[in-house]
Every structure is written in C-alpha cells, then in structure tokens.
Amino acid sequence: MPERATARADDAAEAPSLEVLRPGLVPYDEALALQRRLLAERIADQAPDRLLLLEHPPVITLGTAGGEDDVVADAARLDREGVAVCRTERGGRATFHGPGQLVAYPILKLREKDLHAYLRRMLDVAAAVLAAYGLSAELGLRGPGVWVGGAKVASIGLAVRKWVTFHGLALNVNTDLGWFSRINPCGYAGERMTSLRELLGRELDMDEVAAHYLREFRAAFGYPDPHMRPAARPGWLRVPAPDPAPAGRMEALLADLRLGTVCQEANCPNLGECFNRGTATFLILGTVCTRGCRYCAVEKGLPRPCDPGEPERVARAVAALGLRHAVVTSVTRDDLPDGGAGHFARTIAAIRARCPDTSVEVLVPDFAGSPQALDTVRQARPDVFNHNIETVRRLFPTVRPKADYALSLAILGRAVAAGLAVKSGLMLGLGETDAEIAATLGDLRAAGCRQLTLGQYLAPTPAHAPVDRYVTPAAFAAWADAARAMGFDNVAAGPLVRSSYRAEAMLRPRPTATDRARVA
C-alpha cells in the first residue's frame, strides 16, 4: 500500500465529526428509508453524526399525534394533485413538505441526554438563519415551531431512538404557501403560514440558505466548520491561464451548435488546457441533473425534454474539431424511462456515421440499474465504456446518496461480459482511507475493469462536501504503480486527472471502423 503523503485540509482530529448529505429533491418515503438506515448505522457506531439537508416533492405527513381530521382536502383532490399522505413516527401532527422548503434531518447521538435542550437548539438554529436575513424569530407561539410576525415559517417534528435523533425541521424558503390550505398545520385550523420569500419579497437561493443553516447548526451543536480553516491549495493544483484565442474559438463553436460540455458545467480545472488543444467532453441530455451528488458542480433540478437534434450536432462538432477520439457523457436523467440510454446510442451512431475512424468513449450514469438501458448502450458498441465508481463504499451515503456501490460494480461487470473495454475512476480526498482505496481498486478489478483514473477531489463551493486532504503527486504515482500491479492495463493518476482527461492516450491500440465491424 502506498505511503500516505497528504496535505491535511482539517487537522481537528479530536473534534466531533459531522457528515453533511445534500441529496437534492427526494421523495418522502425514500428519505425516510435513508434516515432509518443512517439511524441504525449511528446507533451501532458504524458512522459519525450526519445531517441531511434536502427538499421533498409535495407530501403531507402525519406525526404520532396527527389524525385524518388534520387533512382538510379530500382524498380525490390530493390524488389528482399527486400529494401522498404519509404516517410517520415523529412527534406532532400534520405538516406539508414541498419544493422550496429546506428540510433538515439530523442523525445525531446526543451527548447531552436532554430532549428539551435538543429541541431548543434546533429552534435556535432556525432563528439564527432568520436573523441572517434581518428577521426576528418568535419561538413557541402555538407549540414548537418558529414564527415571524405571528405567521409560522418553520415546523419541527422530532424522534429519538436510543438517544440518536431523526426527523427534524422544515423551513419555508420559496415554498408555495397555497399547499398549506390542504391541512390544519400542526393541528391548528387557520394557522397562518409564511416563507422567507414572502417575508423578504424576493426569491432566495436555496444553496445560500442551506449554507447559512449548516453554519448555524455547526455552531449550535459544536461541530467544527471545515471551511473556516481550509489549507491553501498546494502549488501542484495551480494551472496556468489558458490562451484566450483557441479557448474562445472552442466556446464559440459549442455555443453555435448549442452543445454543453462537462468541462464547463463541472468547473473542470483542465478546461483551459483541453480547449486550447481543441478537445472537450460533450455533455448530452441537457445540463440539469436529477440527482444531488455532494461533490458535483452540475446544476440540479428538473431537466428539460431531450433534444432530438443533439446527437447530430455532437457529430458535427467532432468533425469540425477533427477529433480522433470523442468522449460523451451526460447528466443523470432519472426522469426518463430509459435514463437517456437511447440518446447515448443515437449519439454514438451519429458520430460513427459522420466520422467513421473516430473512436468513441462514453461515460455513463447508472441508469438506475436498468439492464435494458445498459444493453441499449452496449449494442451501440462504444470503444470505451466508462462508469465511475467515484468514491469508496463507506462514503456513498454521504456523497452519492442516490447511488449504490454494488450497483456500479455490477454495471461495470455487465459491460465487461459484453466484451467492451471498461474504465472507471475515483476521487481521492473525500475522507477515504488508504485501505478503502485499495479495497475499491480490488473490487474494480474483480468486476473486470482494466482502465483506471485517479484524481484529486476539489470542492466546487462551500456548500459541497469539504476536501479532507490534498494528495501529493508522489502519492498518486504510488497508487498508479499499485494499480498496475493489481492488473490494470491503463492508469492515469494525478491531482488534476479527471475521468476523460487525455482519454485518447489510454486507448491502445486504437480501433478502426473495420475492427468495430468485425466485433459487431
């Protein structure tokens, strides 16, 4: 195992630890199942304290004191509106969750076994967030909660098991307040609800509010803020400014063809170098992702419909750039029946039709594990099939809460069984141990993966998962040697390596159109 050579981003090893999960918009039943899993892990001391910050699609929940009479709207109306009514084990009565509402679910092992003190701290956190926007909070006007000017802006419903907390607090940020007419909020008929948007007269940035909440939560419960003491980025992570002329030509071409690149959307540090060399990794299926991975800068939300002309425009860009090797990736599209697999296949076909001697590499999402979707891509015969494992098994709930480690390995194994050249990659610096890195490389090899990329994780914003450490170039070189010794044929490892960085150099020997026809 390589010697661990790193620059620490947070040396407060003795301080209490908090992992923050930001999975995005999550159906209530899925979030409840996640809470229960994290709860069991915390009770068993298999994980640190965690804080879930998310939003829900429209849903009404009933706590232990709630009854059917707390729901004002009839079942037929709720069914038409797609609003489920869910009973749950939290305290309190009826509440509504929906988009634009920041929901906080702390999974904490209480060091101070006092539920009243815990409740007060949770309310104090919400009050501090309101104060950051110049608003004065009123606590406990009609039971637990937070009001401003007599209108309720935050509801709270807690649960605890073996002194580990779950459920939590919902803060109305940009919430459509009309939804609350379907219930008697917290059992009070006529309770007037409000939101930060209504109080301030403007739409708020949810990431900004979440960052305020996280800062106040850490302060109230005694967790160190890793962004208060960040180590300066080491010199090996600094890149020269790009030549504006070729980069400008690349941007103009992409804009003219209405194409996106992961280089731009994910804030890739190699953008200048790649654009100067006339290469890019094409991002298809739009630029909005349906998931909320905690390391990724790509926009999250509800994507637009697929653009049927996009595959041909990608092919035109490949021809215009004279690319010998084209890399195509996408956002995750859980909203599509096939996850976008057919769009991948059409893009591969369009490139092959226009540029038959260009090799094609695809970096695909997990397609929610659909065998049919994977077969659609497989049958298009990409020259390289890439699916990134991204991190070690233990960190999946923290940074990839909607993904599954075993599923990603199974996807790679299925592609290997189909005879494809298979590639994967992971980021270092998210909090993994050397033993976990070695185990992950072993799992990838067991799945049949023979091409590997290893790069440094860099947090896109303070709201994303923090950098745990900076891995030195020497340590990356040692990991590359270790990977080759494990049987990986092609390895790219370094602080600035990304999954598609100089991807053409890893393709040896280069396939030709004749080779592909023979395989097909």
Side-chain angles (χ1 to χ4, degrees):
M1 186 178 298
E3 181 180 352
R4 191 176 181 86
T6 64
R8 295 296 306 183
D10 186 352
D11 291 322
E14 300 305 316
S17 175
L18 179 72
E19 288 186 357
V20 182
L21 288 73
R22 292 282 308 280
L25 186 71
V26 184
Y28 185 80
D29 56 348
E30 292 182 20
L32 183 57
L34 176 59
Q35 281 190 79
R36 289 170 175 163
R37 177 161 60 85
L38 300 183
L39 175 72
E41 291 177 1
R42 189 66 188 100
I43 289 173
D45 286 325
Q46 295 174 344
D49 290 344
R50 285 161 164 160
L51 174 64
L52 276 165
L53 293 175
L54 47 76
E55 298 175 61
H56 292 304
V59 62
I60 293 169
T61 68
L62 296 175
T64 54
E68 298 300 329
D69 55 341
D70 290 325
V71 181
V72 176
D74 61 70
R77 177 183 180 184
L78 295 177
D79 187 60
R80 288 195 304 273
E81 295 174 335
V83 181
V85 178
C86 299
R87 280 203 165 274
T88 186
E89 64 266 74
R90 64 162 174 81
R93 300 182 69 169
T95 193
F96 168 81
H97 297 303
Q101 183 187 71
L102 179 67
V103 184
Y105 294 132
I107 316 294
L108 313 182
K109 180 165 285 188
L110 294 178
R111 288 167 281 174
E112 180 185 6
K113 293 180 171 60
D114 184 337
L115 292 180
H116 293 289
Y118 172 63
L119 171 62
R120 179 66 193 218
R121 283 189 187 179
M122 287 290 290
L123 295 175
D124 286 345
V125 170
V129 174
L130 295 176
Y133 290 96
L135 300 171
S136 297
E138 303 160 305
L139 305 182
L141 287 188
R142 285 174 289 281
V146 184
W147 287 256
V148 175
K152 195 169 190 179
V153 71
S155 303
I156 190 165
L158 306 177
V160 64
R161 188 173 298 164
K162 295 186 178 180
W163 294 107
V164 176
T165 67
F166 60 123
H167 293 281
L169 180 139
L171 175 64
N172 299 329
V173 181
N174 298 317
T175 320
D176 179 353
L177 299 175
W179 287 109
F180 287 96
S181 66
R182 279 71 166 172
I183 62 172
N184 292 324
C186 297
Y188 291 95
E191 178 75 82
R192 185 162 62 91
M193 303 299 293
T194 189
S195 66
L196 289 179
R197 179 173 63 184
E198 182 178 72
L199 292 166
L200 299 174
R202 62 181 175 87
E203 193 90 1
L204 280 84
D205 184 295
M206 291 295 291
D207 286 338
E208 176 188 271
V209 178
H212 278 303
Y213 187 92
L214 177 56
R215 183 177 62 250
E216 299 300 341
F217 186 90
R218 288 185 185 277
F221 288 92
Y223 299 102
D225 187 343
H227 297 289
M228 295 302 291
R229 303 180 309 284
R233 283 191 181 183
W236 61 73
L237 288 171
R238 297 181 188 133
V239 295
D243 183 340
R249 288 193 292 272
M250 173 66 84
E251 290 174 351
L253 172 66
L254 294 170
D256 182 57
L257 292 173
R258 291 180 288 117
L259 295 175
T261 68
V262 75
C263 326
Q264 297 162 308
E265 299 302 324
N267 298 334
C268 179
N270 303 310
L271 182 147
E273 177 188 346
C274 293
F275 277 18
N276 282 350
R277 290 192 294 113
T279 64
T281 297
F282 299 101
L283 185 69
I284 62 173
L285 294 167
T287 59
V288 178
C289 186
T290 55
R291 298 196 185 172
C293 296
R294 291 283 294 113
Y295 52 80
C296 183
V298 173
E299 182 183 353
K300 284 78 176 172
L302 182 64
R304 295 180 178 179
C306 290
D307 179 351
E310 187 176 55
E312 180 57 32
R313 295 200 305 276
V314 171
R316 286 169 55 194
V318 170
L321 293 168
L323 298 183
R324 299 176 64 229
H325 183 72
V327 184
V328 179
T329 189
S330 78
V331 294
T332 298
R333 293 294 300 263
D334 292 321
D335 60 312
L336 299 176
D338 70 346
H343 206 73
F344 266 102
R346 289 186 288 275
T347 302
I348 295 169
I351 295 172
R352 293 262 169 80
R354 191 176 281 265
C355 308
D357 290 325
T358 295
S359 51
V360 181
E361 175 174 336
V362 293
L363 171 57
V364 301
D366 62 21
F367 299 120
S370 166
Q372 295 80 12
L374 292 168
D375 285 346
T376 296
V377 177
R378 174 187 63 80
Q379 290 162 6
R381 306 304 301 178
D383 298 293
V384 179
F385 179 96
N386 188 350
H387 174 70
N388 283 335
I389 197 76
E390 302 290 12
T391 189
V392 301
R393 185 191 297 268
R394 175 179 59 85
L395 294 178
F396 259 61
T398 304
V399 299
R400 303 193 71 195
K402 286 190 172 182
D404 182 88
Y405 183 86
L407 174 60
S408 286
L409 291 174
I411 288 167
L412 294 169
R414 190 177 182 90
V416 169
L420 299 178
V422 174
K423 178 178 176 182
S424 191
L426 68 157
M427 302 170 287
L428 306 187
L430 276 163
E432 68 289 330
T433 67
D434 285 347
E436 288 173 322
I437 297 171
T440 302
L441 299 188
D443 289 340
L444 290 173
R445 279 297 299 119
C449 179
R450 304 188 72 89
Q451 298 186 40
L452 175 71
T453 58
L454 299 171
Q456 171 69 53
Y457 168 65
L458 299 173
T461 72
H464 286 79
V467 176
D468 174 73
R469 62 190 172 109
Y470 294 115
V471 181
T472 65
F476 273 112
W479 277 117
D481 290 340
R484 294 185 187 100
M486 295 174 72
F488 287 95
D489 293 333
N490 297 318
V491 181
L496 294 174
V497 167
R498 297 297 181 261
S499 56
S500 55
Y501 178 59
R502 294 185 178 250
E504 70 280 5
M506 295 184 70
L507 193 63
R508 304 189 190 96
R510 291 183 53 77
T512 65
T514 302
D515 294 331
R516 286 192 291 268
R518 188 181 302 118
V519 171

